[in-house]
């Protein structure tokens, strides 16, 4: 085993996270900078290069002490060209060239991957995925993202869109999704989806509920409020939480029925609702799974939190 180190970079819309890791995936140093999306995001890649070079200097390290840099980024990745397109939250509309530019700027080889996929790889390697060969990861944040590892390989699909679990249809007559179709999982189980469901159910709810009172009062509510109130027994909040978890469990069961993963891992901000959410989702999954899947696929909460991205990004690097 090499004693060369890895650099993982997790590029997000508000921060860029960096880590230096051992070949075994243990984080030795980590830091972050703000993402500067001004000037069409053209400062982002130079900022990444400067930050890496600055820290290597600070730690008295040289480029040849690293096996590579792994970068997780939003947008559509062209693996052959090493380009990223359509990362709209970074203001990247035209293709950018992180592989070419970061390699030239640091002297270290670069590998890139979609951000939801690197989080999946991170949880698989050092988190709840227990380094299994078959892991499905779903992240419940502002949107719903996902990544699928099957037979030890990340699935990309014919056009790089494999693992877009957020756009699995769970209600063909449901809410409109940003993708243009109806009833995607994202419209129900994302942080914004949960609030949408709460407002929708509140309008026809006539019982006694603090959630209902908050909404009628014009207060801003969050997905966390919904789950916190459900945990205290609030009737409307329980109706919303049940619908969200039933929909998520239904989608995950069908994915499990197709792939028979060892672990289905649930991460992202909404998963902070913890065992309360996990137990409801598991119940809905079991109701929709066939026997072999029930016996062999386990659903778990993610364990790495925000660290999954840098670890997964580092796992992209080929270590010789
Ligand atoms: Zn959609």
């Amino acid at each position: 085993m090499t004693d060369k180190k890895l650099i993982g970079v997790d590029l997000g819309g508000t921060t860029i996270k960096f880590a230096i890791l051992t070949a075994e995936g243990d984080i030795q140093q980590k830091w972050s900078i703000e993402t500067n999306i001004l000037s069409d995001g053209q400062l982002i890649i130079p900022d990444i290069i400067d930050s890496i070079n600055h820290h290597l200097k600070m730690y008295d390290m040289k480029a040849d002490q690293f096996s590579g840099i792994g970068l997780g980024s939003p947008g559509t990745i062209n693996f052959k060209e090493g380009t990223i397109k359509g990362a709209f939250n970074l203001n990247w509309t035209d293709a950018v060239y992180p592989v070419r530019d970061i390699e030239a700027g640091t002297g270290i080889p670069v590998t890139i991957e979609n951000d939801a996929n690197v989080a999946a790889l991170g949880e698989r390697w050092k988190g709840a995925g227990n380094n299994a060969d078959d892991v499905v990861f779903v992240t419940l944040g502002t949107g719903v993202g996902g990544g699928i590892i099957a037979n030890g390989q990340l699935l990309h699909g014919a056009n790089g869109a494999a693992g877009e679990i957020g756009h699995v249809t769970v209600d063909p007559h449901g809410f409109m999704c940003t993708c243009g179709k109806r009833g995607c999982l994202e419209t129900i189980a994302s942080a914004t989806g949960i609030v949408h469901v709460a407002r929708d159910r509140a309008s026809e709810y006539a019982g006694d509920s603090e959630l209902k009172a908050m909404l009628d009062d014009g207060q801003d509510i969050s997905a966390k409020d919904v789950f916190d109130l459900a945990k205290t027994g609030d009737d409307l909040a329980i109706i919303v939480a049940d619908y969200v978890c039933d929909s998520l469990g239904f989608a995950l069961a069908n994915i499990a029925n197709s792939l028979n993963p060892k672990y289905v891992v649930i991460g992202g901000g909404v998963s902070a609702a913890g065992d309360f959410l996990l137990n409801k989702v598991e119940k809905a999954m079991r109701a929709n799974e066939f026997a072999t899947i029930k016996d062999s696929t386990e659903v778990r909460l993610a364990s790495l939190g925000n660290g999954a991205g840098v670890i997964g990004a580092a796992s992209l690097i080929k270590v010789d």
Side-chain angles (χ1 to χ4, degrees):
M1 187 54 93
T2 173
D3 59 358
K4 285 193 177 184
K5 304 284 191 265
L6 315 172
I7 297 176
V9 184
D10 180 12
L11 170 53
T14 53
T15 59
I16 308 172
K17 300 185 192 72
F18 299 81
I20 295 175
L21 304 92
T22 64
E24 291 77 34
D26 297 319
I27 294 180
Q28 296 198 309
Q29 306 284 351
K30 59 179 179 177
W31 70 95
S32 66
I33 61 174
E34 263 179 60
T35 310
N36 185 349
I37 59 168
L38 298 177
S39 309
D40 295 331
Q42 293 307 301
L43 305 169
I44 293 172
I45 290 176
D47 282 351
I48 290 174
I49 296 168
D50 287 349
S51 189
I52 290 173
N53 287 335
H54 172 73
H55 279 80
L56 295 200
K57 209 169 158 192
M58 208 160 72
Y59 302 133
D60 201 20
M61 298 180 87
K62 301 250 174 310
D64 63 10
Q65 289 173 265
F66 293 89
S67 299
I69 297 170
L71 170 71
S73 169
T76 306
I77 315 274
N78 181 323
F79 294 98
K80 231 171 116 199
E81 315 273 337
T83 58
I84 302 171
K85 247 186 172 166
F88 298 107
N89 58 343
L90 303 178
N91 285 343
W92 284 351
T93 43
D94 295 330
V96 296
Y97 295 81
V99 173
R100 180 194 71 190
D101 294 349
I102 300 173
E103 280 183 2
T106 61
I108 303 171
V110 174
T111 313
I112 56 175
E113 181 54 78
N114 167 275
D115 52 358
N117 284 342
V118 299
L121 288 171
E123 280 294 339
R124 180 247 185 159
W125 191 22
K126 303 298 280 188
N130 216 8
N131 218 14
D133 278 344
D134 297 275
V135 176
V136 169
F137 175 73
V138 61
T139 173
L140 313 174
T142 317
V144 172
I148 294 169
I149 295 133
N151 293 336
Q153 298 289 316
L154 191 62
L155 286 191
H156 286 132
N159 210 8
E164 285 283 2
I165 295 169
H167 300 285
V168 169
T169 304
V170 288
D171 178 0
H173 310 292
F175 304 136
M176 281 300 296
C177 182
T178 49
C179 76
K181 65 187 192 72
R182 272 187 193 279
C184 294
L185 180 62
E186 180 164 298
T187 67
I188 298 165
S190 65
T192 41
I194 292 166
V195 173
H196 193 174
V197 172
R199 287 191 188 287
D200 183 70
R201 295 297 188 274
S203 66
E204 61 202 33
Y205 180 82
D208 187 25
S209 154
E210 195 183 331
L211 180 62
K212 165 82 171 164
M214 286 168 81
L215 286 165
D216 287 351
D217 192 37
Q219 293 181 37
D220 266 337
I221 61 144
S222 65
K224 183 177 183 304
D225 294 330
V226 172
F227 276 96
D228 285 350
L229 285 167
K231 286 176 191 173
T232 68
D234 186 281
D235 187 40
L236 175 62
I238 290 173
I239 291 171
V240 175
D242 281 349
Y243 178 67
V244 168
C245 294
D246 283 351
S247 302
L248 181 57
F250 176 81
L252 293 178
N254 284 317
I255 292 164
N257 287 337
S258 315
L259 296 166
N260 189 198
K262 177 84 181 142
Y263 300 108
V264 173
V265 179
I266 305 175
V270 173
S271 73
D275 286 340
F276 182 81
L277 172 134
L278 184 69
N279 293 337
K280 285 180 185 292
V281 173
E282 180 165 19
K283 202 170 149 225
M285 283 180 73
R286 297 303 174 235
N288 290 288
E289 285 171 345
F290 74 97
T292 321
I293 307 298
K294 269 186 209 169
D295 295 343
S296 56
T297 292
E298 186 182 329
V299 57
R300 295 178 152 194
L301 294 170
S303 65
L304 296 178
N306 282 335
V310 286
I311 295 172
S315 80
L316 299 167
I317 301 161
K318 263 212 168 75
V319 177
D320 40 38

